[in-house]
Amino acid sequence: MNIVKPLVLIALSSSLLLAAPQAKKNAELQNIKKIGKSSSMLLLKTLGSKMKKNMKAGGPMQALDFCSQEAYVLTEDVNKKLPNGIRVKRISSKYRNPANKPEADEQAILNALQELKNSNVILPKQIVEKVNATTYKYYKPLIINKAVCLKCHGNITNTDLKRAISKRYPIDKAMHYKMGDLRGAVVVTIKK
Ligand code: HEC
């Protein structure tokens, strides 16, 4: 009988020892997700609300002016607001602005997401990539989920708009999307 207590204690403490690093990892991952979620939402809300305003005020031509002149600047503004070591951006395999071209690891993630989508998988809301010991990338997949997206990313019927887009983006790839297509992702790079 006497031996039971110490054995139980040993069993308990060793399982605690094993659990501690795992718990730390889980807490770290939760934190990465929290930062990724809030940073990506901040960018999407900032861009989305301004886009809506411009669309209402002057239709797709004014909204295009806004996108081409402000989207990148606003993204930089959001980055200035974020803590040191955290950066947010948008990427797409079929990018309009070459500045939104994915890096090699990001392209691999987009390819994987596209492959899942082709297999009728409902995409996760978020993905975390461990880049190295100190860097994570949080991805929020972006789907063409509103008809308004198609005005500028679908089969563009408005010839003035079409001309204006190709003038500003001579190597535009971000057309001919359909409702429900994977458009790209928001990427939040988080350095410890
Ligand atoms: C009024 C036209 C317009 C509408 C409507 C529009 N976009 Fe765009 N979109 C643009 C332009 C212009 C750019 C390039 C912005 C830049 O220069 O940074 C862009 C860029 C993007 C990018 C960054 C990757 C890239 O191709 O450069 C994503 C992602 C995107 N749009 C998704 C969407 C989604 C999703 C919707 C619908 C909610 C939408 N867009 C609606 C014009 C539009």
Side-chain angles (χ1 to χ4, degrees), residues 51 63 67 90 95-97 100 148-149 152-153 169 183:
M51 157 79 96
C67 282
R90 295 186 300 171
Y95 47 85
R96 176 155 287 166
N97 185 340
N100 298 327
V148 67
C149 311
C152 299
H153 295 299
Y169 303 95
R183 173 70 180 89

Side-chain angles (χ1 to χ4, degrees), residues 51 55 59-65 67-69 71-72 90-92 94-101 142-146 148-153 161 165 169 172 174 177 183-185:
M51 157 79 96
M55 204 74 178
M61 283 301 270
Q62 181 173 328
L64 174 71
D65 276 341
C67 282
S68 58
Q69 286 161 26
Y72 206 75
R90 295 186 300 171
I91 55 165
S92 175
K94 289 176 22 178
Y95 47 85
R96 176 155 287 166
N97 185 340
N100 298 327
K101 182 180 175 180
L142 291 177
I143 304 287
I144 297 276
N145 57 359
K146 295 197 184 90
V148 67
C149 311
L150 297 176
K151 281 199 193 297
C152 299
H153 295 299
L161 185 65
I165 290 176
Y169 303 95
D172 179 30
Y177 282 94
R183 173 70 180 89

Side-chain angles (χ1 to χ4, degrees), residues 43-81:
L43 177 65
L44 289 178
K45 280 208 177 125
T46 306
L47 293 179
S49 64
K50 299 245 161 116
M51 157 79 96
K52 234 188 211 166
K53 238 190 231 160
N54 280 283
M55 204 74 178
K56 234 184 196 166
M61 283 301 270
Q62 181 173 328
L64 174 71
D65 276 341
F66 157 73
C67 282
S68 58
Q69 286 161 26
E70 302 281 337
Y72 206 75
V73 181
L74 279 173
T75 305
E76 280 315 298
D77 286 350
V78 168
N79 275 313
K80 278 180 205 142
K81 282 189 205 151

Side-chain angles (χ1 to χ4, degrees), residues 23-189:
K24 199 174 155 215
K25 259 190 203 159
N26 287 345
E28 188 174 287
L29 187 58
Q30 286 313 314
N31 196 35
I32 297 292
K33 285 184 185 169
K34 209 170 117 194
I35 294 169
K37 191 171 175 190
S38 59
S39 312
S40 56
M41 285 317 287
L42 182 61
L43 177 65
L44 289 178
K45 280 208 177 125
T46 306
L47 293 179
S49 64
K50 299 245 161 116
M51 157 79 96
K52 234 188 211 166
K53 238 190 231 160
N54 280 283
M55 204 74 178
K56 234 184 196 166
M61 283 301 270
Q62 181 173 328
L64 174 71
D65 276 341
F66 157 73
C67 282
S68 58
Q69 286 161 26
E70 302 281 337
Y72 206 75
V73 181
L74 279 173
T75 305
E76 280 315 298
D77 286 350
V78 168
N79 275 313
K80 278 180 205 142
K81 282 189 205 151
L82 295 175
N84 261 347
I86 301 172
R87 282 193 62 79
V88 64
K89 64 176 178 178
R90 295 186 300 171
I91 55 165
S92 175
S93 303
K94 289 176 22 178
Y95 47 85
R96 176 155 287 166
N97 185 340
N100 298 327
K101 182 180 175 180
E103 289 167 29
D105 60 326
E106 298 163 353
Q107 184 63 65
I109 301 269
L110 287 179
N111 292 347
L113 286 170
Q114 186 61 58
E115 218 164 287
L116 287 173
K117 192 127 204 325
N118 295 346
S119 312
N120 298 321
V121 170
I122 295 166
L123 296 186
K125 289 206 164 62
Q126 54 185 17
I127 283 183
V128 177
E129 175 195 4
K130 186 165 187 178
V131 180
N132 56 42
T134 54
T135 308
Y136 288 90
K137 284 186 185 175
Y138 171 101
Y139 295 80
K140 179 180 170 56
L142 291 177
I143 304 287
I144 297 276
N145 57 359
K146 295 197 184 90
V148 67
C149 311
L150 297 176
K151 281 199 193 297
C152 299
H153 295 299
N155 296 317
I156 304 168
T157 48
N158 179 335
T159 46
D160 286 346
L161 185 65
K162 205 171 176 175
R163 203 171 305 130
I165 290 176
S166 59
K167 199 169 158 205
R168 270 165 234 193
Y169 303 95
I171 51 157
D172 179 30
K173 305 178 185 205
M175 281 184 298
H176 309 300
Y177 282 94
K178 293 186 300 300
M179 205 62 174
D181 281 352
L182 176 66
R183 173 70 180 89
V186 177
V187 185
V188 184
T189 305

